[in-house]
Amino acid sequence: MDDSIQRALRRGHTIDITTTGRRSGKARRIELVFHNIDGRIVISGSPSSRKRGWIWNLEADPHLTFHLKRSVRADLPATARVITDEAERGELAEWIVANAWPNQDVAAMTRHSPFIEVTIDRAATGDLAGSAALDRV
């Protein structure tokens, strides 16, 4: 994988993802934020009691395209894992509040924020070595 892509993945920022609509089968693109938490690529969002459509889509089909769109532009095939374990969600919420979004509430994020771990498909990006979330970027 290109060094500029790896550098971009080391720090969180705004990205787009494209999922496949669970009912329509059509490509659905949305702007989100990711964080690099100890080498893990994690997409999160503000707390909401309503499950977002893009999460329904990823539960139906975990394949997505992860679009870098700032100084580095790349469309990276990837796989998502929806994080449902409450202890893991709590750890991620604590990190995000401490390091990125200090105005958020850890308990509210743990209960109601989306948390998705993304694994970039290295084989599709030209790197034949396996990917464990980019070997912890």
Side-chain angles (χ1 to χ4, degrees), residues 65-88:
T65 303
F66 191 91
H67 305 280
L68 295 173
K69 59 183 199 171
R70 285 197 165 172
S71 59
V72 175
R73 295 190 176 274
D75 301 319
L76 307 171
T79 304
R81 178 178 70 89
V82 178
I83 299 170
T84 58
D85 178 77
E86 189 163 343
E88 184 178 7

Side-chain angles (χ1 to χ4, degrees), residues 2 19 23 47 59-60 67 74-75 82 106 109 120 131 135:
D2 183 278
T19 63
R23 291 187 297 221
E59 288 176 339
H67 305 280
D75 301 319
V82 178
V106 171
M109 284 194 76
I120 304 298
S131 172
D135 297 326

